[in-house]
Amino acid sequence: MFWCHQAIPLLQRGRSASITLSHVQISCLLANAFFCTFPHRNASKPTAEYHSYPSINFSSLFGKPSHRKIQKLKAIMHYFRVVTDEGLRSRAPECTARPEPVHVRPQVDFAAKVVGGGVLDSGLVQEEILFLLHPELIVSRLFTQELADDECLIVTGMQRFSLYEGYSDAFQWAGPYDSLCRDEWKRLKRRIVAIDALHFRDPKQQFHMDAIERELNKAYCGFKCSGKHQEPDIATGKWGCGAFNGDPQLKGLRTTINIYFHQKQTVWVSIKPFQVFPLTI
Protein backbone atom coordinates (compact mmCIF):
# COMPACT_ATOMS: atom_id res chain seq x y z
CA MET A 1 0.00 0.00 0.00
CA PHE A 2 1.19 3.51 -0.80
CA TRP A 3 1.04 5.99 2.10
CA CYS A 4 2.12 9.59 1.62
CA HIS A 5 1.92 11.77 4.72
CA GLN A 6 3.29 14.94 3.15
CA ALA A 7 3.63 16.57 -0.24
CA ILE A 8 6.45 15.41 -2.50
CA PRO A 9 9.13 18.14 -2.48
CA LEU A 10 9.91 19.99 -5.71
CA LEU A 11 13.30 20.00 -7.41
CA GLN A 12 13.71 23.75 -7.93
CA ARG A 13 16.19 25.64 -10.05
CA GLY A 14 19.32 26.77 -8.26
CA ARG A 15 18.94 24.26 -5.41
CA SER A 16 20.67 20.88 -5.14
CA ALA A 17 18.26 18.28 -3.80
CA SER A 18 17.29 14.63 -4.12
CA ILE A 19 14.09 12.62 -3.88
CA THR A 20 13.88 8.88 -3.20
CA LEU A 21 10.80 6.92 -4.27
CA SER A 22 10.07 3.20 -4.33
CA HIS A 23 8.91 1.46 -7.49
CA VAL A 24 5.48 1.03 -5.90
CA GLN A 25 5.23 4.72 -5.07
CA ILE A 26 6.20 5.63 -8.62
CA SER A 27 3.59 3.29 -10.07
CA CYS A 28 0.90 4.88 -7.87
CA LEU A 29 1.90 8.38 -8.97
CA LEU A 30 1.93 7.36 -12.63
CA ALA A 31 -1.48 5.73 -12.27
CA ASN A 32 -2.78 9.07 -11.01
CA ALA A 33 -1.13 10.82 -13.95
CA PHE A 34 -2.73 8.32 -16.33
CA PHE A 35 -6.15 9.22 -14.91
CA CYS A 36 -5.23 12.94 -14.96
CA THR A 37 -5.73 13.56 -11.24
CA PHE A 38 -3.25 16.45 -10.96
CA PRO A 39 -5.62 19.35 -11.81
CA HIS A 40 -3.19 22.15 -10.94
CA ARG A 41 -0.78 20.90 -13.60
CA ASN A 42 -3.06 21.55 -16.58
CA ALA A 43 -2.52 25.32 -16.72
CA SER A 44 0.42 26.57 -18.80
CA LYS A 45 -0.05 30.34 -18.59
CA PRO A 46 2.99 32.32 -17.29
CA THR A 47 0.98 33.24 -14.19
CA ALA A 48 0.11 29.63 -13.34
CA GLU A 49 1.61 28.14 -10.19
CA TYR A 50 3.48 25.38 -12.02
CA HIS A 51 4.09 27.09 -15.37
CA SER A 52 7.82 26.29 -15.24
CA TYR A 53 7.21 22.57 -14.59
CA PRO A 54 6.42 19.91 -17.20
CA SER A 55 2.93 18.57 -17.76
CA ILE A 56 2.32 15.29 -15.93
CA ASN A 57 -1.26 14.32 -16.77
CA PHE A 58 -1.61 11.89 -19.69
CA SER A 59 -4.53 13.79 -21.24
CA SER A 60 -2.61 14.79 -24.39
CA LEU A 61 -2.06 11.12 -25.24
CA PHE A 62 -5.80 10.56 -25.21
CA GLY A 63 -6.55 13.35 -27.69
CA LYS A 64 -6.28 13.18 -31.46
CA PRO A 65 -5.13 9.61 -32.25
CA SER A 66 -1.95 8.97 -34.21
CA HIS A 67 0.48 6.13 -34.86
CA ARG A 68 2.98 7.73 -32.47
CA LYS A 69 0.49 7.94 -29.61
CA ILE A 70 -0.70 4.36 -30.16
CA GLN A 71 2.87 3.05 -29.88
CA LYS A 72 3.48 5.18 -26.79
CA LEU A 73 0.38 3.83 -25.12
CA LYS A 74 1.46 0.27 -25.91
CA ALA A 75 4.70 0.87 -23.99
CA ILE A 76 2.91 2.56 -21.09
CA MET A 77 0.19 -0.09 -20.83
CA HIS A 78 2.84 -2.81 -20.82
CA TYR A 79 4.51 -1.03 -17.88
CA PHE A 80 1.23 -0.99 -15.92
CA ARG A 81 0.61 -4.64 -16.79
CA VAL A 82 3.99 -5.67 -15.36
CA VAL A 83 3.80 -3.60 -12.15
CA THR A 84 0.30 -4.87 -11.36
CA ASP A 85 0.99 -8.54 -12.16
CA GLU A 86 2.76 -10.38 -9.33
CA GLY A 87 3.40 -13.35 -11.60
CA LEU A 88 5.28 -11.32 -14.17
CA ARG A 89 7.39 -9.67 -11.48
CA SER A 90 8.27 -12.99 -9.83
CA ARG A 91 9.39 -14.52 -13.17
CA ALA A 92 11.83 -11.71 -13.92
CA PRO A 93 15.43 -13.01 -14.22
CA GLU A 94 18.01 -12.39 -11.54
CA CYS A 95 21.18 -10.48 -12.27
CA THR A 96 24.07 -12.51 -13.66
CA ALA A 97 27.77 -11.81 -13.50
CA ARG A 98 28.13 -11.22 -17.24
CA PRO A 99 29.25 -7.68 -18.13
CA GLU A 100 26.75 -5.25 -19.62
CA PRO A 101 29.07 -2.53 -20.93
CA VAL A 102 26.43 -0.06 -22.03
CA HIS A 103 23.57 -0.69 -19.63
CA VAL A 104 25.46 -0.24 -16.33
CA ARG A 105 27.03 3.07 -17.41
CA PRO A 106 25.36 6.39 -16.80
CA GLN A 107 23.49 7.08 -20.02
CA VAL A 108 23.11 10.62 -21.31
CA ASP A 109 19.54 11.76 -21.89
CA PHE A 110 19.57 14.33 -24.70
CA ALA A 111 17.03 16.28 -22.71
CA ALA A 112 14.82 19.26 -23.26
CA LYS A 113 15.06 21.84 -20.47
CA VAL A 114 11.62 20.54 -19.49
CA VAL A 115 12.55 16.92 -18.76
CA GLY A 116 10.83 14.31 -20.85
CA GLY A 117 10.27 16.68 -23.74
CA GLY A 118 7.18 15.63 -25.68
CA VAL A 119 6.85 12.15 -24.18
CA LEU A 120 3.23 12.81 -23.17
CA ASP A 121 2.41 14.40 -26.51
CA SER A 122 3.65 13.71 -30.05
CA GLY A 123 7.44 13.99 -29.54
CA LEU A 124 9.31 10.79 -30.32
CA VAL A 125 13.09 11.20 -30.56
CA GLN A 126 15.91 10.17 -28.21
CA GLU A 127 14.58 11.54 -24.91
CA GLU A 128 10.98 10.52 -25.48
CA ILE A 129 12.01 6.99 -26.49
CA LEU A 130 14.19 6.74 -23.38
CA PHE A 131 11.23 7.71 -21.18
CA LEU A 132 8.95 5.19 -22.93
CA LEU A 133 11.43 2.34 -22.41
CA HIS A 134 11.75 3.40 -18.74
CA PRO A 135 8.26 4.78 -17.89
CA GLU A 136 9.32 5.39 -14.28
CA LEU A 137 11.29 8.37 -15.62
CA ILE A 138 8.00 10.08 -16.42
CA VAL A 139 7.36 10.68 -12.72
CA SER A 140 10.30 13.12 -12.69
CA ARG A 141 8.05 15.53 -14.61
CA LEU A 142 5.88 15.83 -11.50
CA PHE A 143 8.51 17.61 -9.42
CA THR A 144 11.40 18.77 -11.68
CA GLN A 145 11.46 22.43 -12.66
CA GLU A 146 12.96 23.57 -15.97
CA LEU A 147 16.71 22.99 -15.92
CA ALA A 148 18.98 26.01 -15.70
CA ASP A 149 22.10 26.36 -17.87
CA ASP A 150 24.32 24.91 -15.14
CA GLU A 151 22.05 22.08 -13.97
CA CYS A 152 21.38 18.46 -14.83
CA LEU A 153 19.00 15.80 -13.53
CA ILE A 154 20.37 12.42 -12.41
CA VAL A 155 17.99 9.47 -12.02
CA THR A 156 19.19 6.17 -10.54
CA GLY A 157 17.48 2.78 -10.30
CA MET A 158 14.76 2.96 -12.94
CA GLN A 159 13.75 -0.26 -14.68
CA ARG A 160 13.61 -0.78 -18.42
CA PHE A 161 10.36 -2.48 -19.44
CA SER A 162 10.23 -2.47 -23.25
CA LEU A 163 12.04 -3.17 -26.48
CA TYR A 164 11.54 -0.99 -29.52
CA GLU A 165 12.29 -0.63 -33.21
CA GLY A 166 12.64 2.47 -35.36
CA TYR A 167 12.84 6.15 -34.56
CA SER A 168 10.42 9.08 -34.75
CA ASP A 169 7.56 8.18 -37.11
CA ALA A 170 9.02 4.68 -37.57
CA PHE A 171 9.00 3.95 -33.81
CA GLN A 172 7.33 0.66 -32.84
CA TRP A 173 6.86 -0.95 -29.44
CA ALA A 174 8.54 -4.36 -29.89
CA GLY A 175 7.71 -6.27 -26.71
CA PRO A 176 8.92 -6.74 -23.12
CA TYR A 177 12.46 -6.31 -21.83
CA ASP A 178 13.72 -8.10 -18.69
CA SER A 179 16.79 -7.15 -16.66
CA LEU A 180 16.98 -6.78 -12.88
CA CYS A 181 20.64 -6.26 -11.97
CA ARG A 182 20.75 -4.37 -8.66
CA ASP A 183 23.33 -2.41 -6.66
CA GLU A 184 24.12 -2.60 -2.93
CA TRP A 185 21.03 -0.47 -2.17
CA LYS A 186 18.91 -2.96 -4.17
CA ARG A 187 18.35 -0.27 -6.79
CA LEU A 188 18.36 -1.34 -10.42
CA LYS A 189 21.71 -0.70 -12.07
CA ARG A 190 20.48 2.04 -14.34
CA ARG A 191 21.41 5.72 -14.26
CA ILE A 192 20.21 8.47 -16.57
CA VAL A 193 21.88 11.88 -16.75
CA ALA A 194 19.56 14.46 -18.32
CA ILE A 195 21.34 17.45 -19.90
CA ASP A 196 19.49 19.81 -22.21
CA ALA A 197 21.22 21.23 -25.29
CA LEU A 198 20.38 24.59 -26.81
CA HIS A 199 18.05 24.59 -29.80
CA PHE A 200 19.75 26.56 -32.57
CA ARG A 201 17.17 27.75 -35.05
CA ASP A 202 20.06 29.53 -36.73
CA PRO A 203 22.91 26.96 -36.70
CA LYS A 204 25.53 29.72 -36.89
CA GLN A 205 24.62 30.85 -33.36
CA GLN A 206 26.24 27.79 -31.80
CA PHE A 207 29.70 29.09 -32.76
CA HIS A 208 29.29 32.23 -30.61
CA MET A 209 31.42 32.09 -27.47
CA ASP A 210 28.48 32.41 -25.05
CA ALA A 211 26.80 29.38 -26.65
CA ILE A 212 30.06 27.40 -26.61
CA GLU A 213 30.62 28.16 -22.91
CA ARG A 214 27.02 27.30 -22.05
CA GLU A 215 27.19 23.89 -23.75
CA LEU A 216 30.60 23.13 -22.22
CA ASN A 217 29.25 23.93 -18.74
CA LYS A 218 26.14 21.84 -19.31
CA ALA A 219 28.15 18.82 -20.48
CA TYR A 220 30.58 19.31 -17.56
CA CYS A 221 27.66 19.24 -15.12
CA GLY A 222 26.26 16.03 -16.58
CA PHE A 223 29.55 14.16 -16.97
CA LYS A 224 30.56 15.07 -13.42
CA CYS A 225 27.41 13.29 -12.15
CA SER A 226 26.91 13.47 -8.40
CA GLY A 227 30.55 13.94 -7.46
CA LYS A 228 30.04 11.60 -4.48
CA HIS A 229 30.72 8.35 -6.30
CA GLN A 230 33.31 7.74 -8.98
CA GLU A 231 31.55 6.77 -12.19
CA PRO A 232 34.24 5.46 -14.54
CA ASP A 233 32.14 5.22 -17.68
CA ILE A 234 29.34 7.00 -19.50
CA ALA A 235 27.28 6.30 -22.62
CA THR A 236 26.53 9.19 -24.93
CA GLY A 237 26.22 10.13 -28.59
CA LYS A 238 25.44 13.10 -30.82
CA TRP A 239 24.02 15.24 -28.03
CA GLY A 240 22.13 18.29 -29.33
CA CYS A 241 22.42 17.34 -33.00
CA GLY A 242 19.47 16.29 -35.12
CA ALA A 243 16.34 18.27 -34.26
CA PHE A 244 18.34 20.85 -32.27
CA ASN A 245 20.61 21.61 -35.26
CA GLY A 246 23.86 21.08 -33.36
CA ASP A 247 27.03 20.68 -35.39
CA PRO A 248 28.35 17.10 -34.87
CA GLN A 249 32.01 18.14 -35.03
CA LEU A 250 31.57 20.97 -32.52
CA LYS A 251 29.49 18.80 -30.19
CA GLY A 252 32.01 15.98 -30.49
CA LEU A 253 34.83 18.35 -29.53
CA ARG A 254 32.90 19.47 -26.41
CA THR A 255 32.30 15.86 -25.46
CA THR A 256 35.97 15.01 -25.98
CA ILE A 257 37.04 17.92 -23.73
CA ASN A 258 34.76 16.71 -20.93
CA ILE A 259 35.84 13.09 -21.36
CA TYR A 260 39.46 14.21 -20.96
CA PHE A 261 38.71 16.49 -18.00
CA HIS A 262 36.77 13.83 -16.07
CA GLN A 263 38.96 10.93 -17.25
CA LYS A 264 35.93 8.96 -18.41
CA GLN A 265 35.91 5.78 -20.45
CA THR A 266 33.03 6.45 -22.81
CA VAL A 267 30.76 4.45 -25.07
CA TRP A 268 29.68 6.50 -28.08
CA VAL A 269 26.35 5.42 -29.59
CA SER A 270 25.24 6.52 -33.05
CA ILE A 271 21.80 5.63 -34.40
CA LYS A 272 22.18 6.53 -38.10
CA PRO A 273 23.94 4.27 -38.91
CA PHE A 274 23.73 2.35 -35.61
CA GLN A 275 27.16 2.03 -34.05
CA VAL A 276 28.52 1.40 -30.56
CA PHE A 277 32.22 1.88 -29.89
CA PRO A 278 34.44 2.76 -26.89
CA LEU A 279 36.21 6.10 -26.70
CA THR A 280 39.11 6.46 -24.26
CA ILE A 281 41.42 9.48 -23.97
Coordinates of all heavy atoms in Angstrom, one line a residue, residues 10 40-41 43 45-53 145:
L10 N 9.6 19.6 -4.3 CA 9.9 20.0 -5.7 C 11.4 20.2 -5.9 O 12.1 20.6 -5.0 CB 9.2 21.3 -6.1 CG 7.7 21.3 -6.0 CD1 7.1 22.7 -6.3 CD2 7.1 20.3 -7.0
H40 N -4.0 20.9 -10.9 CA -3.2 22.1 -10.9 C -2.1 22.1 -12.0 O -1.4 23.2 -12.2 CB -2.6 22.4 -9.5 CG -3.7 22.7 -8.5 ND1 -4.5 23.8 -8.5 CD2 -4.1 21.9 -7.5 CE1 -5.3 23.7 -7.5 NE2 -5.1 22.6 -6.8
R41 N -1.9 21.0 -12.6 CA -0.8 20.9 -13.6 C -1.3 21.0 -15.0 O -0.5 20.8 -16.0 CB -0.1 19.6 -13.4 CG 0.5 19.4 -12.0 CD 1.6 20.5 -11.7 NE 2.8 20.3 -12.6 CZ 3.8 19.5 -12.2 NH1 3.8 18.9 -11.1 NH2 4.8 19.4 -13.0
A43 N -2.7 23.9 -16.3 CA -2.5 25.3 -16.7 C -1.1 25.6 -17.1 O -0.1 25.2 -16.5 CB -2.9 26.3 -15.6
K45 N -0.2 28.9 -18.5 CA 0.0 30.3 -18.6 C 1.1 30.8 -17.7 O 1.4 30.1 -16.7 CB -1.3 31.1 -18.1 CG -2.5 30.8 -19.1 CD -3.7 31.6 -18.5 CE -4.9 31.4 -19.5 NZ -6.1 32.1 -19.0
P46 N 1.8 31.9 -18.1 CA 3.0 32.3 -17.3 C 2.7 32.6 -15.8 O 3.5 32.6 -15.0 CB 3.4 33.6 -18.0 CG 3.0 33.4 -19.4 CD 1.7 32.6 -19.3
T47 N 1.4 32.9 -15.6 CA 1.0 33.2 -14.2 C 0.6 32.0 -13.4 O 0.3 32.1 -12.2 CB -0.2 34.2 -14.2 OG1 -1.3 33.7 -15.0 CG2 0.2 35.6 -14.8
A48 N 0.5 30.8 -14.0 CA 0.1 29.6 -13.3 C 1.2 29.2 -12.3 O 2.4 29.4 -12.5 CB -0.1 28.5 -14.4
E49 N 0.7 28.5 -11.3 CA 1.6 28.1 -10.2 C 2.7 27.3 -10.7 O 3.9 27.4 -10.2 CB 0.8 27.4 -9.1 CG 1.6 27.0 -7.9 CD 0.8 26.3 -6.8 OE1 -0.4 26.1 -7.1 OE2 1.3 26.0 -5.8
Y50 N 2.5 26.3 -11.6 CA 3.5 25.4 -12.0 C 3.9 25.6 -13.5 O 4.2 24.6 -14.2 CB 3.0 23.9 -11.8 CG 2.7 23.6 -10.4 CD1 1.4 23.6 -9.8 CD2 3.8 23.2 -9.5 CE1 1.2 23.2 -8.5 CE2 3.6 22.9 -8.2 CZ 2.3 22.9 -7.7 OH 2.1 22.6 -6.4
H51 N 3.9 26.8 -13.9 CA 4.1 27.1 -15.4 C 5.5 26.7 -15.8 O 5.7 26.4 -17.0 CB 3.9 28.6 -15.7 CG 4.9 29.5 -15.1 ND1 6.0 29.9 -15.9 CD2 5.1 30.1 -13.9 CE1 6.8 30.6 -15.2 NE2 6.2 30.8 -14.0
S52 N 6.5 26.7 -14.9 CA 7.8 26.3 -15.2 C 8.1 24.8 -15.0 O 9.3 24.4 -15.0 CB 8.8 27.1 -14.5 OG 8.7 27.0 -13.1
Y53 N 7.1 24.0 -14.8 CA 7.2 22.6 -14.6 C 6.6 21.9 -15.8 O 5.7 22.4 -16.4 CB 6.5 22.1 -13.3 CG 7.3 22.5 -12.1 CD1 7.2 23.8 -11.5 CD2 8.2 21.6 -11.4 CE1 7.9 24.2 -10.4 CE2 8.9 22.0 -10.3 CZ 8.7 23.3 -9.8 OH 9.5 23.7 -8.7
Q145 N 11.6 21.2 -12.0 CA 11.5 22.4 -12.7 C 12.4 22.5 -13.9 O 13.3 21.7 -14.0 CB 11.8 23.6 -11.7 CG 11.3 24.9 -12.2 CD 11.5 26.0 -11.1 OE1 12.3 25.8 -10.1 NE2 10.8 27.1 -11.2

